[in-house]
Amino acid sequence: EVQLLESGGGLVQPGGSLRLSCAASGFTFSSYGMSWVRQAPGKGLEWISGVSTSGGNTYYADSVKGRFSISRDNSENTLYLQMTILRTEDSAVYYCAKGDRGANNYYLDYWGQGIVVTVSS
Amino acid sequence: DIQLTQSPAFLSASVGDRVTITCRASQGISSYLAWYQQKPGKAPKLLIYAASTLQSGVPSRFSGSGSGTEFTLTISSLQPEDFATYYCQQVDSYPRNFGQGTKLEI
């Protein structure tokens, strides 16, 4: 059974940093692209970052480029999102999501339960 | 960046109705489009990928069509569990934007 378990969320002050983790199990982690998607309270889904199977290619939405960094540890089956220079508008539920293939054009077939990040003073 | 525009934003319907949601892309994306369903407090669920392929385990009353810039999600006979918010997403290029969502209400 595929499982994605996010951790590392919480309350942080504006300008602060936070690192989210997503522990994956039930599939060969290194064979699939992975993404982070967030959802601000009462708003729609926002894709924010993706990474290739090896971790060598990373992609970002303009809203987080230069502040967030995605990475993966295939030996530990874990996806990360390092978030820095956090803003109040980064407050959201953050979802880790698994791609359905190793190729670049992957769809998100499994999602974690989401973790809340609140940026507030 | 490719923008996706969903219509309508809100849709009121009844059990048994046939409903269609449209997603328009700002430029051609071939068939690189997915549809997701999200219920309150839950993670999204993949329904359709590659514009028209039904994800495993998804009821056959859901169907998708389209290519290029115009896509549709159709639910042939609404069931109570289908009342949710639906999103399209393009995977043709980065950033992998979502549409703004369509809330399907009773």
Side-chain angles (χ1 to χ4, degrees):
Chain A
E1 179 193 4
V2 172
Q3 290 193 29
L4 299 169
L5 186 61
E6 299 101 337
S7 60
L11 175 65
V12 61
Q13 293 188 337
S17 299
L18 212 54
R19 188 177 83 157
L20 304 183
S21 299
C22 172
S25 61
F27 65 102
T28 304
F29 181 70
S30 60
S31 295
Y32 297 91
M34 299 290 295
S35 289
W36 288 98
V37 175
R38 71 182 180 185
Q39 187 169 37
K43 302 297 185 182
L45 301 174
E46 181 187 14
W47 177 90
I48 57 170
S49 187
V51 64
S52 62
T53 53
S54 67
N57 293 303
T58 58
Y59 309 91
Y60 301 94
D62 287 346
S63 58
V64 305
K65 198 174 294 182
R67 300 187 300 121
F68 289 13
S69 176
I70 190 172
S71 62
R72 62 191 298 164
D73 184 336
N74 286 343
S75 67
E76 294 289 334
N77 294 339
T78 303
L79 178 71
Y80 299 101
L81 185 69
Q82 178 69 49
M83 305 185 293
T84 65
I85 319 174
L86 282 159
R87 306 166 178 166
T88 55
E89 55 265 35
D90 294 319
S91 296
V93 175
Y94 284 73
Y95 294 101
C96 158
K98 168 189 169 291
D100 68 337
R101 64 202 68 187
N104 189 42
N105 304 97
Y106 57 81
Y107 302 93
L108 303 175
D109 62 350
Y110 286 92
W111 297 60
Q113 83 287 352
I115 191 139
V116 175
V117 171
T118 303
V119 184
S120 174
S121 54
Chain B
D1 296 359
I2 297 172
Q3 307 302 320
L4 298 180
T5 304
Q6 285 183 236
S7 60
F10 297 92
L11 183 55
S12 292
S14 300
V15 172
D17 284 355
R18 177 185 180 92
V19 298
T20 297
I21 299 168
T22 297
C23 178
R24 289 187 174 87
S26 59
Q27 61 191 76
I29 56 171
S30 184
S31 296
Y32 290 119
L33 188 100
W35 290 96
Y36 299 88
Q37 177 194 66
Q38 187 181 34
K39 296 182 179 179
K42 299 295 186 182
K45 173 186 175 183
L46 178 64
L47 298 176
I48 302 277
Y49 64 94
S52 61
T53 303
L54 199 66
Q55 174 69 350
S56 175
V58 174
S60 59
R61 62 181 180 272
F62 290 91
S63 64
S65 66
S67 67
T69 61
E70 186 145 340
F71 303 85
T72 59
L73 171 70
T74 299
I75 310 172
S76 60
S77 178
L78 276 172
Q79 299 302 300
E81 60 268 30
D82 299 337
F83 292 93
T85 301
Y86 293 84
Y87 295 91
C88 56
Q89 185 202 20
Q90 65 84 17
V91 302
D92 177 78
S93 63
Y94 288 100
R96 299 277 165 89
N97 290 331
F98 289 88
Q100 80 278 18
T102 295
K103 187 172 184 180
L104 179 53
E105 300 174 314
I106 300 174

